[in-house]
Short mmCIF file of all heavy atoms in Angstrom, two decimals:
data_model
loop_
_atom_site.label_atom_id
_atom_site.label_comp_id
_atom_site.label_asym_id
_atom_site.label_seq_id
_atom_site.Cartn_x
_atom_site.Cartn_y
_atom_site.Cartn_z
N SER S 871 -1.49 10.33 24.25
CA SER S 871 -2.15 11.33 23.43
C SER S 871 -2.51 10.73 22.08
O SER S 871 -2.08 9.61 21.76
CB SER S 871 -1.27 12.55 23.24
OG SER S 871 -0.27 12.28 22.26
N LEU S 872 -3.26 11.46 21.29
CA LEU S 872 -3.70 10.96 20.00
C LEU S 872 -2.62 10.99 18.94
O LEU S 872 -2.85 10.57 17.81
CB LEU S 872 -4.91 11.75 19.51
CG LEU S 872 -6.21 11.45 20.23
CD1 LEU S 872 -7.31 12.42 19.81
CD2 LEU S 872 -6.68 10.01 19.93
N THR S 873 -1.46 11.51 19.28
CA THR S 873 -0.37 11.57 18.31
C THR S 873 0.92 10.93 18.80
O THR S 873 1.91 10.94 18.07
CB THR S 873 -0.05 13.04 17.94
OG1 THR S 873 0.31 13.77 19.12
CG2 THR S 873 -1.27 13.72 17.28
N LEU S 874 0.91 10.37 19.98
CA LEU S 874 2.15 9.82 20.52
C LEU S 874 1.93 8.53 21.28
O LEU S 874 1.05 8.45 22.14
CB LEU S 874 2.82 10.84 21.45
CG LEU S 874 4.06 10.33 22.23
CD1 LEU S 874 5.19 10.01 21.28
CD2 LEU S 874 4.49 11.40 23.26
N SER S 875 2.72 7.53 20.94
CA SER S 875 2.77 6.29 21.71
C SER S 875 4.23 5.97 21.96
O SER S 875 5.09 6.25 21.11
CB SER S 875 2.11 5.14 20.95
OG SER S 875 2.24 3.91 21.67
N THR S 876 4.54 5.41 23.13
CA THR S 876 5.91 5.05 23.43
C THR S 876 5.98 3.58 23.81
O THR S 876 5.07 3.03 24.45
CB THR S 876 6.50 5.90 24.54
OG1 THR S 876 5.71 5.72 25.74
CG2 THR S 876 6.53 7.36 24.17
N LEU S 877 7.08 2.96 23.42
CA LEU S 877 7.38 1.58 23.80
C LEU S 877 8.68 1.64 24.58
O LEU S 877 9.70 2.11 24.06
CB LEU S 877 7.54 0.70 22.57
CG LEU S 877 8.15 -0.69 22.80
CD1 LEU S 877 7.20 -1.57 23.61
CD2 LEU S 877 8.45 -1.37 21.45
N THR S 878 8.64 1.15 25.82
CA THR S 878 9.86 1.09 26.62
C THR S 878 10.23 -0.37 26.84
O THR S 878 9.45 -1.14 27.36
CB THR S 878 9.65 1.78 27.98
OG1 THR S 878 9.32 3.15 27.77
CG2 THR S 878 10.94 1.72 28.79
N VAL S 879 11.43 -0.71 26.39
CA VAL S 879 11.95 -2.04 26.61
C VAL S 879 12.75 -1.98 27.91
O VAL S 879 13.81 -1.32 27.98
CB VAL S 879 12.87 -2.49 25.45
CG1 VAL S 879 13.34 -3.92 25.66
CG2 VAL S 879 12.12 -2.36 24.12
N THR S 880 12.23 -2.62 28.94
CA THR S 880 12.89 -2.53 30.26
C THR S 880 13.88 -3.67 30.42
O THR S 880 13.67 -4.78 29.93
CB THR S 880 11.83 -2.61 31.36
OG1 THR S 880 11.17 -3.87 31.28
CG2 THR S 880 10.80 -1.49 31.22
N SER S 881 14.98 -3.34 31.13
CA SER S 881 16.02 -4.35 31.38
C SER S 881 16.32 -5.17 30.10
O SER S 881 16.15 -6.39 30.08
CB SER S 881 15.59 -5.29 32.51
OG SER S 881 16.66 -6.16 32.89
N ALA S 882 16.73 -4.45 29.09
CA ALA S 882 16.93 -5.07 27.79
C ALA S 882 18.05 -6.11 27.83
O ALA S 882 19.06 -5.94 28.53
CB ALA S 882 17.24 -4.01 26.75
N HIS S 883 17.88 -7.18 27.07
CA HIS S 883 18.88 -8.21 26.92
C HIS S 883 19.15 -8.45 25.45
O HIS S 883 18.36 -8.03 24.60
CB HIS S 883 18.38 -9.50 27.60
CG HIS S 883 18.36 -9.43 29.08
ND1 HIS S 883 17.26 -9.06 29.80
CD2 HIS S 883 19.36 -9.65 30.02
CE1 HIS S 883 17.54 -9.07 31.09
NE2 HIS S 883 18.80 -9.42 31.23
N PRO S 884 20.26 -9.09 25.14
CA PRO S 884 20.61 -9.29 23.72
C PRO S 884 19.49 -9.92 22.88
O PRO S 884 19.35 -9.60 21.70
CB PRO S 884 21.84 -10.20 23.81
CG PRO S 884 22.49 -9.81 25.08
CD PRO S 884 21.35 -9.54 26.02
N GLU S 885 18.71 -10.78 23.49
CA GLU S 885 17.61 -11.41 22.70
C GLU S 885 16.49 -10.43 22.36
O GLU S 885 15.62 -10.78 21.55
CB GLU S 885 17.03 -12.60 23.48
CG GLU S 885 16.52 -12.29 24.86
CD GLU S 885 17.54 -12.56 25.95
OE1 GLU S 885 18.76 -12.42 25.69
OE2 GLU S 885 17.13 -12.89 27.07
N ASP S 886 16.52 -9.24 22.97
CA ASP S 886 15.53 -8.20 22.62
C ASP S 886 15.97 -7.41 21.38
O ASP S 886 15.21 -6.58 20.87
CB ASP S 886 15.33 -7.23 23.79
CG ASP S 886 14.78 -7.94 25.02
OD1 ASP S 886 13.95 -8.86 24.86
OD2 ASP S 886 15.19 -7.57 26.14
N SER S 887 17.19 -7.66 20.94
CA SER S 887 17.68 -6.96 19.74
C SER S 887 16.78 -7.32 18.55
O SER S 887 16.54 -8.48 18.25
CB SER S 887 19.13 -7.38 19.43
OG SER S 887 19.99 -7.04 20.50
N SER S 888 16.25 -6.30 17.93
CA SER S 888 15.27 -6.51 16.87
C SER S 888 14.98 -5.19 16.19
O SER S 888 15.51 -4.15 16.56
CB SER S 888 14.00 -7.09 17.47
OG SER S 888 13.08 -7.51 16.46
N PHE S 889 14.12 -5.25 15.20
CA PHE S 889 13.63 -4.08 14.49
C PHE S 889 12.19 -3.86 14.97
O PHE S 889 11.33 -4.73 14.82
CB PHE S 889 13.67 -4.35 12.97
CG PHE S 889 13.47 -3.15 12.09
CD1 PHE S 889 14.23 -2.01 12.29
CD2 PHE S 889 12.56 -3.16 11.06
CE1 PHE S 889 14.07 -0.90 11.46
CE2 PHE S 889 12.40 -2.05 10.22
CZ PHE S 889 13.17 -0.93 10.43
N TYR S 890 11.95 -2.72 15.62
CA TYR S 890 10.64 -2.43 16.17
C TYR S 890 9.94 -1.39 15.29
O TYR S 890 10.49 -0.33 15.00
CB TYR S 890 10.77 -1.89 17.60
CG TYR S 890 11.27 -2.97 18.57
CD1 TYR S 890 12.63 -3.19 18.73
CD2 TYR S 890 10.36 -3.75 19.29
CE1 TYR S 890 13.09 -4.17 19.59
CE2 TYR S 890 10.81 -4.73 20.16
CZ TYR S 890 12.17 -4.94 20.30
OH TYR S 890 12.61 -5.93 21.15
N ILE S 891 8.73 -1.73 14.85
CA ILE S 891 7.99 -0.87 13.95
C ILE S 891 6.63 -0.51 14.55
O ILE S 891 5.92 -1.43 15.02
CB ILE S 891 7.75 -1.55 12.59
CG1 ILE S 891 9.08 -1.95 11.94
CG2 ILE S 891 6.98 -0.64 11.65
CD1 ILE S 891 8.92 -2.67 10.61
N CYS S 892 6.31 0.73 14.58
CA CYS S 892 4.99 1.13 15.07
C CYS S 892 4.08 1.44 13.86
O CYS S 892 4.55 1.70 12.75
CB CYS S 892 5.08 2.32 16.00
SG CYS S 892 5.34 3.89 15.19
N SER S 893 2.82 1.39 14.12
CA SER S 893 1.83 1.68 13.11
C SER S 893 0.68 2.42 13.75
O SER S 893 0.31 2.16 14.90
CB SER S 893 1.34 0.37 12.49
OG SER S 893 0.33 0.60 11.54
N ALA S 894 0.10 3.36 13.01
CA ALA S 894 -0.97 4.17 13.56
C ALA S 894 -2.19 4.13 12.66
O ALA S 894 -2.07 4.04 11.44
CB ALA S 894 -0.49 5.62 13.72
N ARG S 895 -3.33 4.21 13.28
CA ARG S 895 -4.58 4.19 12.54
C ARG S 895 -5.51 5.25 13.11
O ARG S 895 -5.57 5.46 14.32
CB ARG S 895 -5.25 2.82 12.66
CG ARG S 895 -6.64 2.74 12.11
CD ARG S 895 -7.36 1.47 12.51
NE ARG S 895 -8.76 1.52 12.14
CZ ARG S 895 -9.72 2.02 12.90
NH1 ARG S 895 -9.43 2.53 14.08
NH2 ARG S 895 -10.98 2.04 12.46
N SER S 896 -6.22 5.94 12.20
CA SER S 896 -7.24 6.88 12.67
C SER S 896 -8.61 6.35 12.27
O SER S 896 -8.73 5.49 11.39
CB SER S 896 -7.01 8.26 12.09
OG SER S 896 -7.49 8.31 10.77
N GLY S 897 -9.62 6.89 12.90
CA GLY S 897 -10.96 6.46 12.57
C GLY S 897 -11.37 6.80 11.16
O GLY S 897 -12.29 6.21 10.60
N ALA S 898 -10.64 7.74 10.55
CA ALA S 898 -11.01 8.20 9.23
C ALA S 898 -10.47 7.32 8.13
O ALA S 898 -10.89 7.42 6.98
CB ALA S 898 -10.52 9.64 9.01
N TYR S 899 -9.53 6.43 8.46
CA TYR S 899 -8.87 5.64 7.44
C TYR S 899 -9.17 4.16 7.64
O TYR S 899 -9.37 3.70 8.74
CB TYR S 899 -7.36 5.86 7.47
CG TYR S 899 -6.92 7.27 7.16
CD1 TYR S 899 -6.48 8.11 8.19
CD2 TYR S 899 -6.94 7.73 5.87
CE1 TYR S 899 -6.05 9.38 7.90
CE2 TYR S 899 -6.52 9.01 5.58
CZ TYR S 899 -6.08 9.84 6.62
OH TYR S 899 -5.66 11.11 6.33
N ASN S 900 -9.15 3.41 6.55
CA ASN S 900 -9.29 1.98 6.63
C ASN S 900 -7.95 1.26 6.65
O ASN S 900 -7.92 0.06 6.54
CB ASN S 900 -10.07 1.47 5.41
CG ASN S 900 -11.56 1.79 5.53
OD1 ASN S 900 -12.11 1.83 6.62
ND2 ASN S 900 -12.17 2.04 4.39
N GLU S 901 -6.88 1.99 6.75
CA GLU S 901 -5.59 1.34 6.73
C GLU S 901 -4.68 1.87 7.82
O GLU S 901 -4.94 2.87 8.44
CB GLU S 901 -4.94 1.52 5.36
CG GLU S 901 -4.66 2.96 4.93
CD GLU S 901 -4.05 3.05 3.57
OE1 GLU S 901 -2.93 2.53 3.37
OE2 GLU S 901 -4.68 3.65 2.68
N GLN S 902 -3.63 1.10 8.04
CA GLN S 902 -2.62 1.48 9.01
C GLN S 902 -1.46 2.15 8.28
O GLN S 902 -1.12 1.76 7.17
CB GLN S 902 -2.05 0.24 9.72
CG GLN S 902 -3.01 -0.48 10.61
CD GLN S 902 -2.45 -1.81 11.11
OE1 GLN S 902 -3.13 -2.80 11.13
NE2 GLN S 902 -1.19 -1.83 11.53
N PHE S 903 -0.86 3.10 8.95
CA PHE S 903 0.32 3.77 8.40
C PHE S 903 1.48 3.44 9.30
O PHE S 903 1.38 3.49 10.52
CB PHE S 903 0.07 5.28 8.34
CG PHE S 903 -1.12 5.62 7.47
CD1 PHE S 903 -2.38 5.86 8.03
CD2 PHE S 903 -1.00 5.65 6.10
CE1 PHE S 903 -3.47 6.15 7.25
CE2 PHE S 903 -2.10 5.94 5.29
CZ PHE S 903 -3.34 6.18 5.87
N PHE S 904 2.60 3.08 8.68
CA PHE S 904 3.73 2.53 9.41
C PHE S 904 4.85 3.54 9.56
O PHE S 904 5.15 4.34 8.65
CB PHE S 904 4.27 1.29 8.71
CG PHE S 904 3.37 0.10 8.88
CD1 PHE S 904 2.26 -0.05 8.09
CD2 PHE S 904 3.64 -0.85 9.86
CE1 PHE S 904 1.39 -1.15 8.25
CE2 PHE S 904 2.80 -1.94 10.03
CZ PHE S 904 1.66 -2.08 9.24
#
Side-chain angles (χ1 to χ4, degrees):
Chain S
S871 77
L872 286 171
T873 59
L874 173 65
S875 176
T876 60
L877 168 67
T878 301
V879 183
T880 62
S881 187
H883 288 93
E885 57 265 31
D886 299 323
S887 299
S888 188
F889 193 51
Y890 292 86
I891 302 178
C892 76
S893 177
R895 172 192 171 272
S896 80
Y899 297 105
N900 286 327
E901 60 181 297
Q902 293 171 223
F903 301 98
F904 287 81

